[in-house]
Amino acid sequence: MGVRVALHLKGVVDYDFLQERLGEKSQLLLESNPVYKKIPVLIHNHNPVCESMIIVEYADEAWAASGRAIRTADPYDRALHRFWAACIDDDGFPSMIAAVKAETQEARAEAMEQSLAGLELLEESLAKLSKGRGFVGGDAMAYLDIALGCYLGWMKACETVIGHRFLDEEKTPLLVGWAERFCSHEAVKDWMPETDELLELAKVLQPKRKVSTAN
């Protein structure tokens, strides 16, 4: 999703989108990403580029003359964007999944506490980086918007399973407003997966674990 959003922002709309069948790895994927053997992979000028946010950076440079810059020009802000993107990938999303997988109320509460604490810190950082404007990148979507926004679909799916919201209008009002703007953005709305689709995918990925909606 992040790659498709980045391509849209750069004005690249004419490309072939090849979906992998779940549980299978095509020969093209194995040849393009022999190290991790994972999607996504962007093939540009016959050269494969792997990993979602690396592809986002590549797209910003490869089509520098098109669309708006995805990465901020300020080196410190750019470093902060990459730092928070790594935190979301390494800690934020895993803590949400841990809350869903928790087998006891204590374990779920601990995972939720960790996740919410991280989101509150991200709320503070968003206030500084956005400088009061609509996106982390200011008036336009930027690198960190894409990194965080691509998890919003899974966040909603997790909320449905555990019956608890991660983004709260009282504790994280900036993130709540930002999430609404991100999901309705023309570069995003066609690619944001439906919650029901992700819940069905979760059942396939976790065949031995029952995925149910909390009452």
Side-chain angles (χ1 to χ4, degrees):
M1 174 181 167
V3 174
R4 303 191 79 177
V5 170
L7 291 175
H8 187 105
L9 292 174
K10 300 306 293 185
V12 181
V13 295
D14 186 14
Y15 57 85
D16 294 323
F17 178 61
L18 306 177
Q19 277 191 293
E20 291 287 306
R21 188 180 298 275
L22 188 64
E24 300 178 10
K25 298 182 187 294
S26 68
Q27 189 61 35
L28 179 60
L29 173 60
L30 296 176
E31 292 173 355
S32 303
N33 189 358
V35 178
Y36 294 115
K37 302 178 178 63
K38 294 180 180 180
I39 54 172
V41 177
L42 173 71
I43 302 176
H44 182 225
N45 292 333
H46 306 290
N47 296 316
V49 184
C50 308
E51 299 293 318
S52 181
M53 295 313 294
I54 292 177
I55 299 174
V56 170
E57 292 188 49
Y58 175 86
D60 198 31
E61 294 183 2
W63 290 280
S66 302
R68 296 191 59 167
I70 294 175
R71 296 173 302 162
T72 176
D74 183 272
Y76 181 65
D77 284 351
R78 185 179 294 189
L80 286 178
H81 282 216
R82 296 186 71 178
F83 169 80
W84 276 110
C87 285
I88 294 164
D89 204 36
D90 296 340
D91 300 315
F93 184 62
S95 65
M96 285 191 291
I97 297 300
V100 173
K101 291 183 176 182
E103 297 182 355
T104 65
Q105 289 295 332
E106 292 77 10
R108 174 164 292 176
E110 183 178 349
M112 285 294 300
E113 183 178 358
Q114 179 182 348
S115 183
L116 295 175
L119 288 170
E120 289 181 22
L121 288 173
L122 183 57
E123 171 89 357
E124 296 176 9
S125 186
L126 175 61
K128 297 176 182 177
L129 290 170
S130 67
K131 299 177 177 63
R133 290 177 287 182
F135 294 98
V136 181
D139 295 323
M141 197 179 297
Y143 181 87
L144 184 53
D145 293 293
I146 296 174
L148 176 59
C150 289
Y151 284 120
L152 287 175
W154 280 110
M155 182 182 290
K156 292 178 182 179
C158 290
E159 290 175 341
T160 301
V161 173
I162 65 179
H164 193 290
R165 292 181 62 85
F166 288 97
L167 299 183
D168 181 88
E169 292 186 359
E170 183 176 331
K171 294 182 179 180
T172 56
L174 294 179
L175 281 172
V176 170
W178 166 85
E180 292 176 354
R181 287 187 293 275
F182 181 88
C183 291
S184 61
H185 195 285
E186 62 175 12
V188 175
K189 58 186 180 181
D190 290 339
W191 318 131
M192 181 63 71
E194 296 292 334
T195 300
D196 289 344
E197 294 176 348
L198 293 176
L199 290 174
E200 288 300 315
L201 177 59
K203 292 177 182 179
V204 175
L205 295 175
Q206 299 286 342
K208 295 182 180 180
R209 183 177 181 80
K210 183 179 180 181
V211 178
S212 58
T213 302
N215 296 322

PDB file of all heavy atoms in Angstrom, residues 183-201:
ATOM      1  N   CYS A 183      -6.908   8.799   5.423  1.00  0.00           N
ATOM      2  CA  CYS A 183      -7.762   7.785   4.792  1.00  0.00           C
ATOM      3  C   CYS A 183      -8.614   8.357   3.665  1.00  0.00           C
ATOM      4  O   CYS A 183      -8.999   7.630   2.738  1.00  0.00           O
ATOM      5  CB  CYS A 183      -8.657   7.128   5.832  1.00  0.00           C
ATOM      6  SG  CYS A 183      -7.772   6.088   7.021  1.00  0.00           S
ATOM      7  N   SER A 184      -8.929   9.655   3.722  1.00  0.00           N
ATOM      8  CA  SER A 184      -9.768  10.265   2.691  1.00  0.00           C
ATOM      9  C   SER A 184      -8.942  10.895   1.573  1.00  0.00           C
ATOM     10  O   SER A 184      -9.518  11.400   0.596  1.00  0.00           O
ATOM     11  CB  SER A 184     -10.674  11.334   3.318  1.00  0.00           C
ATOM     12  OG  SER A 184      -9.916  12.369   3.912  1.00  0.00           O
ATOM     13  N   HIS A 185      -7.606  10.875   1.694  1.00  0.00           N
ATOM     14  CA  HIS A 185      -6.744  11.466   0.677  1.00  0.00           C
ATOM     15  C   HIS A 185      -6.874  10.692  -0.633  1.00  0.00           C
ATOM     16  O   HIS A 185      -6.987   9.468  -0.647  1.00  0.00           O
ATOM     17  CB  HIS A 185      -5.293  11.442   1.158  1.00  0.00           C
ATOM     18  CG  HIS A 185      -4.372  12.317   0.371  1.00  0.00           C
ATOM     19  ND1 HIS A 185      -3.928  11.991  -0.894  1.00  0.00           N
ATOM     20  CD2 HIS A 185      -3.805  13.527   0.649  1.00  0.00           C
ATOM     21  CE1 HIS A 185      -3.127  12.948  -1.338  1.00  0.00           C
ATOM     22  NE2 HIS A 185      -3.039  13.894  -0.428  1.00  0.00           N
ATOM     23  N   GLU A 186      -6.854  11.414  -1.755  1.00  0.00           N
ATOM     24  CA  GLU A 186      -7.049  10.764  -3.053  1.00  0.00           C
ATOM     25  C   GLU A 186      -5.962   9.754  -3.381  1.00  0.00           C
ATOM     26  O   GLU A 186      -6.194   8.821  -4.161  1.00  0.00           O
ATOM     27  CB  GLU A 186      -7.107  11.816  -4.155  1.00  0.00           C
ATOM     28  CG  GLU A 186      -5.842  12.640  -4.323  1.00  0.00           C
ATOM     29  CD  GLU A 186      -5.921  13.592  -5.507  1.00  0.00           C
ATOM     30  OE1 GLU A 186      -7.028  13.774  -6.038  1.00  0.00           O
ATOM     31  OE2 GLU A 186      -4.885  14.132  -5.885  1.00  0.00           O
ATOM     32  N   ALA A 187      -4.781   9.905  -2.786  1.00  0.00           N
ATOM     33  CA  ALA A 187      -3.697   8.956  -3.035  1.00  0.00           C
ATOM     34  C   ALA A 187      -3.851   7.683  -2.211  1.00  0.00           C
ATOM     35  O   ALA A 187      -3.129   6.710  -2.426  1.00  0.00           O
ATOM     36  CB  ALA A 187      -2.345   9.605  -2.727  1.00  0.00           C
ATOM     37  N   VAL A 188      -4.805   7.694  -1.259  1.00  0.00           N
ATOM     38  CA  VAL A 188      -4.934   6.584  -0.304  1.00  0.00           C
ATOM     39  C   VAL A 188      -6.245   5.829  -0.439  1.00  0.00           C
ATOM     40  O   VAL A 188      -6.276   4.597  -0.338  1.00  0.00           O
ATOM     41  CB  VAL A 188      -4.802   7.113   1.146  1.00  0.00           C
ATOM     42  CG1 VAL A 188      -5.055   5.997   2.168  1.00  0.00           C
ATOM     43  CG2 VAL A 188      -3.436   7.741   1.370  1.00  0.00           C
ATOM     44  N   LYS A 189      -7.335   6.545  -0.655  1.00  0.00           N
ATOM     45  CA  LYS A 189      -8.660   5.956  -0.495  1.00  0.00           C
ATOM     46  C   LYS A 189      -8.913   4.716  -1.356  1.00  0.00           C
ATOM     47  O   LYS A 189      -9.680   3.832  -0.960  1.00  0.00           O
ATOM     48  CB  LYS A 189      -9.739   7.003  -0.751  1.00  0.00           C
ATOM     49  CG  LYS A 189      -9.681   7.659  -2.108  1.00  0.00           C
ATOM     50  CD  LYS A 189     -10.708   8.788  -2.200  1.00  0.00           C
ATOM     51  CE  LYS A 189     -10.674   9.468  -3.550  1.00  0.00           C
ATOM     52  NZ  LYS A 189     -11.659  10.586  -3.615  1.00  0.00           N
ATOM     53  N   ASP A 190      -8.261   4.628  -2.504  1.00  0.00           N
ATOM     54  CA  ASP A 190      -8.468   3.456  -3.359  1.00  0.00           C
ATOM     55  C   ASP A 190      -7.670   2.242  -2.900  1.00  0.00           C
ATOM     56  O   ASP A 190      -7.950   1.111  -3.334  1.00  0.00           O
ATOM     57  CB  ASP A 190      -8.076   3.784  -4.807  1.00  0.00           C
ATOM     58  CG  ASP A 190      -9.047   4.745  -5.465  1.00  0.00           C
ATOM     59  OD1 ASP A 190     -10.192   4.841  -4.988  1.00  0.00           O
ATOM     60  OD2 ASP A 190      -8.661   5.414  -6.443  1.00  0.00           O
ATOM     61  N   TRP A 191      -6.681   2.443  -2.036  1.00  0.00           N
ATOM     62  CA  TRP A 191      -5.806   1.338  -1.631  1.00  0.00           C
ATOM     63  C   TRP A 191      -6.028   0.889  -0.183  1.00  0.00           C
ATOM     64  O   TRP A 191      -5.518  -0.148   0.224  1.00  0.00           O
ATOM     65  CB  TRP A 191      -4.326   1.731  -1.785  1.00  0.00           C
ATOM     66  CG  TRP A 191      -3.994   2.478  -3.029  1.00  0.00           C
ATOM     67  CD1 TRP A 191      -3.282   3.638  -3.130  1.00  0.00           C
ATOM     68  CD2 TRP A 191      -4.334   2.134  -4.376  1.00  0.00           C
ATOM     69  NE1 TRP A 191      -3.173   4.046  -4.426  1.00  0.00           N
ATOM     70  CE2 TRP A 191      -3.814   3.139  -5.227  1.00  0.00           C
ATOM     71  CE3 TRP A 191      -5.038   1.085  -4.950  1.00  0.00           C
ATOM     72  CZ2 TRP A 191      -3.969   3.117  -6.607  1.00  0.00           C
ATOM     73  CZ3 TRP A 191      -5.209   1.068  -6.328  1.00  0.00           C
ATOM     74  CH2 TRP A 191      -4.671   2.060  -7.131  1.00  0.00           C
ATOM     75  N   MET A 192      -6.772   1.674   0.615  1.00  0.00           N
ATOM     76  CA  MET A 192      -6.977   1.313   2.013  1.00  0.00           C
ATOM     77  C   MET A 192      -7.869   0.075   2.099  1.00  0.00           C
ATOM     78  O   MET A 192      -9.016   0.086   1.645  1.00  0.00           O
ATOM     79  CB  MET A 192      -7.612   2.474   2.776  1.00  0.00           C
ATOM     80  CG  MET A 192      -7.851   2.185   4.260  1.00  0.00           C
ATOM     81  SD  MET A 192      -6.332   1.887   5.208  1.00  0.00           S
ATOM     82  CE  MET A 192      -5.620   3.538   5.240  1.00  0.00           C
ATOM     83  N   PRO A 193      -7.369  -1.021   2.681  1.00  0.00           N
ATOM     84  CA  PRO A 193      -8.161  -2.256   2.754  1.00  0.00           C
ATOM     85  C   PRO A 193      -9.329  -2.137   3.727  1.00  0.00           C
ATOM     86  O   PRO A 193      -9.258  -1.406   4.720  1.00  0.00           O
ATOM     87  CB  PRO A 193      -7.140  -3.297   3.240  1.00  0.00           C
ATOM     88  CG  PRO A 193      -6.124  -2.495   3.994  1.00  0.00           C
ATOM     89  CD  PRO A 193      -6.026  -1.175   3.286  1.00  0.00           C
ATOM     90  N   GLU A 194     -10.409  -2.844   3.447  1.00  0.00           N
ATOM     91  CA  GLU A 194     -11.559  -2.877   4.342  1.00  0.00           C
ATOM     92  C   GLU A 194     -11.239  -3.740   5.563  1.00  0.00           C
ATOM     93  O   GLU A 194     -10.494  -4.709   5.474  1.00  0.00           O
ATOM     94  CB  GLU A 194     -12.780  -3.447   3.615  1.00  0.00           C
ATOM     95  CG  GLU A 194     -13.263  -2.600   2.441  1.00  0.00           C
ATOM     96  CD  GLU A 194     -13.849  -1.274   2.884  1.00  0.00           C
ATOM     97  OE1 GLU A 194     -14.326  -1.208   4.036  1.00  0.00           O
ATOM     98  OE2 GLU A 194     -13.819  -0.326   2.079  1.00  0.00           O
ATOM     99  N   THR A 195     -11.831  -3.375   6.690  1.00  0.00           N
ATOM    100  CA  THR A 195     -11.588  -4.100   7.933  1.00  0.00           C
ATOM    101  C   THR A 195     -11.956  -5.574   7.811  1.00  0.00           C
ATOM    102  O   THR A 195     -11.222  -6.454   8.261  1.00  0.00           O
ATOM    103  CB  THR A 195     -12.375  -3.462   9.095  1.00  0.00           C
ATOM    104  OG1 THR A 195     -11.969  -2.101   9.254  1.00  0.00           O
ATOM    105  CG2 THR A 195     -12.121  -4.214  10.405  1.00  0.00           C
ATOM    106  N   ASP A 196     -13.100  -5.860   7.191  1.00  0.00           N
ATOM    107  CA  ASP A 196     -13.545  -7.252   7.047  1.00  0.00           C
ATOM    108  C   ASP A 196     -12.547  -8.073   6.234  1.00  0.00           C
ATOM    109  O   ASP A 196     -12.319  -9.255   6.523  1.00  0.00           O
ATOM    110  CB  ASP A 196     -14.922  -7.303   6.384  1.00  0.00           C
ATOM    111  CG  ASP A 196     -16.030  -6.802   7.299  1.00  0.00           C
ATOM    112  OD1 ASP A 196     -15.787  -6.713   8.519  1.00  0.00           O
ATOM    113  OD2 ASP A 196     -17.127  -6.495   6.798  1.00  0.00           O
ATOM    114  N   GLU A 197     -11.947  -7.451   5.215  1.00  0.00           N
ATOM    115  CA  GLU A 197     -10.955  -8.152   4.403  1.00  0.00           C
ATOM    116  C   GLU A 197      -9.740  -8.524   5.233  1.00  0.00           C
ATOM    117  O   GLU A 197      -9.193  -9.632   5.103  1.00  0.00           O
ATOM    118  CB  GLU A 197     -10.532  -7.277   3.226  1.00  0.00           C
ATOM    119  CG  GLU A 197     -11.629  -7.015   2.212  1.00  0.00           C
ATOM    120  CD  GLU A 197     -11.206  -6.060   1.121  1.00  0.00           C
ATOM    121  OE1 GLU A 197     -10.144  -5.414   1.272  1.00  0.00           O
ATOM    122  OE2 GLU A 197     -11.913  -5.949   0.117  1.00  0.00           O
ATOM    123  N   LEU A 198      -9.316  -7.613   6.091  1.00  0.00           N
ATOM    124  CA  LEU A 198      -8.145  -7.880   6.929  1.00  0.00           C
ATOM    125  C   LEU A 198      -8.450  -8.936   7.991  1.00  0.00           C
ATOM    126  O   LEU A 198      -7.586  -9.743   8.331  1.00  0.00           O
ATOM    127  CB  LEU A 198      -7.671  -6.580   7.588  1.00  0.00           C
ATOM    128  CG  LEU A 198      -7.115  -5.532   6.626  1.00  0.00           C
ATOM    129  CD1 LEU A 198      -6.757  -4.253   7.375  1.00  0.00           C
ATOM    130  CD2 LEU A 198      -5.889  -6.066   5.891  1.00  0.00           C
ATOM    131  N   LEU A 199      -9.668  -8.927   8.513  1.00  0.00           N
ATOM    132  CA  LEU A 199     -10.051  -9.956   9.489  1.00  0.00           C
ATOM    133  C   LEU A 199     -10.050 -11.335   8.848  1.00  0.00           C
ATOM    134  O   LEU A 199      -9.631 -12.323   9.468  1.00  0.00           O
ATOM    135  CB  LEU A 199     -11.421  -9.640  10.085  1.00  0.00           C
ATOM    136  CG  LEU A 199     -11.486  -8.420  11.019  1.00  0.00           C
ATOM    137  CD1 LEU A 199     -12.922  -8.123  11.413  1.00  0.00           C
ATOM    138  CD2 LEU A 199     -10.629  -8.641  12.262  1.00  0.00           C
ATOM    139  N   GLU A 200     -10.506 -11.413   7.611  1.00  0.00           N
ATOM    140  CA  GLU A 200     -10.479 -12.688   6.893  1.00  0.00           C
ATOM    141  C   GLU A 200      -9.041 -13.115   6.621  1.00  0.00           C
ATOM    142  O   GLU A 200      -8.699 -14.294   6.734  1.00  0.00           O
ATOM    143  CB  GLU A 200     -11.255 -12.570   5.579  1.00  0.00           C
ATOM    144  CG  GLU A 200     -12.762 -12.492   5.751  1.00  0.00           C
ATOM    145  CD  GLU A 200     -13.322 -13.717   6.454  1.00  0.00           C
ATOM    146  OE1 GLU A 200     -12.916 -14.846   6.090  1.00  0.00           O
ATOM    147  OE2 GLU A 200     -14.144 -13.547   7.369  1.00  0.00           O
ATOM    148  N   LEU A 201      -8.190 -12.155   6.269  1.00  0.00           N
ATOM    149  CA  LEU A 201      -6.780 -12.454   6.047  1.00  0.00           C
ATOM    150  C   LEU A 201      -6.128 -12.946   7.330  1.00  0.00           C
ATOM    151  O   LEU A 201      -5.315 -13.874   7.312  1.00  0.00           O
ATOM    152  CB  LEU A 201      -6.053 -11.211   5.536  1.00  0.00           C
ATOM    153  CG  LEU A 201      -4.548 -11.347   5.314  1.00  0.00           C
ATOM    154  CD1 LEU A 201      -4.246 -12.451   4.305  1.00  0.00           C
ATOM    155  CD2 LEU A 201      -3.960 -10.026   4.847  1.00  0.00           C
TER     156      LEU A 201
END
